[in-house]
Structures are given as structure tokens and as C-alpha cells.
Amino acid sequence: PESEGLPEGWEARKDGQGRVYYVNHNDRTTTWQRPETVKPALSVAGGPNAAAQHVVQEKMSRMRGVVERYNAHLEAAYGGAKADAAKGLPLSGKVKCILQPDPSNPTSPVTLGALVHQLGHHTSFGLCLLLSAAPNALGISRILPGLAFLLGAPQLLLAFQIGVGLDRPYLPQALLSTPLSQTPLGPIMGSLVGPLSASAEQFLKPRLGFLVAFVGRLPLALLLGMLGHPLGAQFKALTACLVAVGMVMKDGLILLGCVFFVLYSFGAVKFAALLLAVAALKSMKWEKYLRF
């Protein structure tokens, strides 16, 4: 109830003594003073452009609220000691850690939400990207008309989710709470992904790992969006698979090579146009709605 009427991005919490304080998720600060909701007035001098910008900012703010609630829900529901133990491990180690029962609650089944959360940002999105791009990379989209769209659309959806700031791929609550034992993912993760990743880790070592973190979410989303157009392009789908491998294995060298391929394919002019678009977003002070 204390959070009602707060501005977007604010949350009311209580400390150990029951005192209410307020958290600003926009700039990650806290205060004891309750913030006031201020709705900017549209000046006549601003004209239609100011009104249009205000409408877009309102929509971006609502979208940001949805993203923050989903991220907070995953952290609250599936965070903890087991999730902390999986951080920093290679994919094979993460799979082994995730599939083990929770020591604090051994009878609790491992759910799909726990799998997605404990894999981490780059690994979870990387595996989903690899799964979505592999059919087009293998040329399956050429079998029937329309398959290119059906198989390529998930890649664009993942690019959108990364761009708006989701920490993990979005799944409905019904899927998040589904035990892995009731899905094919449980046996696949244990008998296929774990052993294959352990074999791959003997050859693919984390190289230039800082580049994986250095490439921000919005640039990565632009990169995946460019690789997703046109839908069904086999060579670009293969490049998207390499991007996924770089994300999962924390291999910045592979990721850097894919960036150069995109720049070569699209040309310097289009790349410069994208840079100008990002600069325009920043100049309009929308960076608090987008994660750069």
C-alpha cells in the first residue's frame, strides 16, 4: 500500500525497524522522504512535437515499469544462495548446479523459472538465440514458404527483449512455475547440454570476456536485429549462432568478429545512421527509459 501513488521507478520498502523508506530504481538511490508524482505540463510553446515526445515518454515509462516488475519478480522468486553459487561458473557447471536440489528445500522441484534465472543474462539469452537461429542457419527455412518468418521472428523478439532491458527472456508465469521434470528441458539439459558444453569448454575458453560485458544491451539488440533482417538469411543466421556461442561461452573474440561482419555487411553509412539514432535518443533524455 505504501507504494501506491509513487512515480514510475519508485518503490516503498521497510527496514528492520519497520520504518518506511523509498527506493529510486531509476538512479539506484534511497530516501526517507516520500517522492511526489509530478506530471510535466505541456507548454503551448512546445507545440505538437513536445506533446508527441511526452506521449512517447509516457509509453516508454510504462514499458519500463513492466520490465522492472518482471526482473524484480525473477530475483525475488528464484534468487538466493543457489543462484549466487551458479554465478561465474561455465555452462556445464551451471547446468550441474541448477539441476541439483536446493539444500534449503530439498523437496522443492527445479522449475523453468529457476533455470532461466540461474543461467544468467548472457547465457539464458544466448541459448535462446542459438535455439531460434539454428534452424535458419541449417537451411530449414527453405523447405516451405513462410518458414523463414516463423523461424526468424523469435530472434527479433529476443533482440527486442534485450533492448528494453529484460534481465532474462520473458516467460509467462505459468511456464516459469513449471517443474523441469514435466518438460523435455530437464533431460535435455542433463544429458545433452551439460555434456556437450563440457566438451566445448575444452576448446572455447573465455577470451576478451570484458568485451561481452562492454557491448551494452541496446547495441547488442541492434546487432541481433540487423542479423535478423531479412528473415531466413542463412549466412546471417549462422552469424547469429556465433553471437550466441560468444554470449554463452563469454568469448569476446567471437563476438567482436561478428560485429565486424555486421559492419561489413551493412556498410559504414547504415552503421553511422544507427549511431546517430542512438545519439538522438540520448539527446532526448530517454536513456533513463532504456538501458545503454
Side-chain angles (χ1 to χ4, degrees), residues 41 66 81 87 115 124 156 164 167 185 223 272:
V66 173
K87 291 180 180 178
L115 172 67
S124 58
L156 296 179
V164 299
D167 288 338
L185 279 178
L223 175 69

Side-chain angles (χ1 to χ4, degrees), residues 71-142:
N71 292 341
H73 169 69
L74 287 182
E75 181 63 32
Y78 307 109
K82 189 176 178 181
D84 294 337
K87 291 180 180 178
L89 295 176
L91 179 57
S92 59
K94 286 185 177 182
V95 171
K96 184 178 179 180
C97 180
I98 292 169
L99 295 181
Q100 290 178 348
D102 192 345
S104 61
N105 190 5
T107 61
S108 177
V110 179
T111 61
L112 187 56
L115 172 67
V116 170
H117 177 71
Q118 294 170 19
L119 281 175
H121 172 74
H122 288 97
T123 304
S124 58
F125 273 110
L127 288 176
C128 289
L129 175 62
L130 185 63
L131 185 63
S132 64
N136 281 331
L138 296 174
I140 297 178
S141 59
R142 299 181 180 180

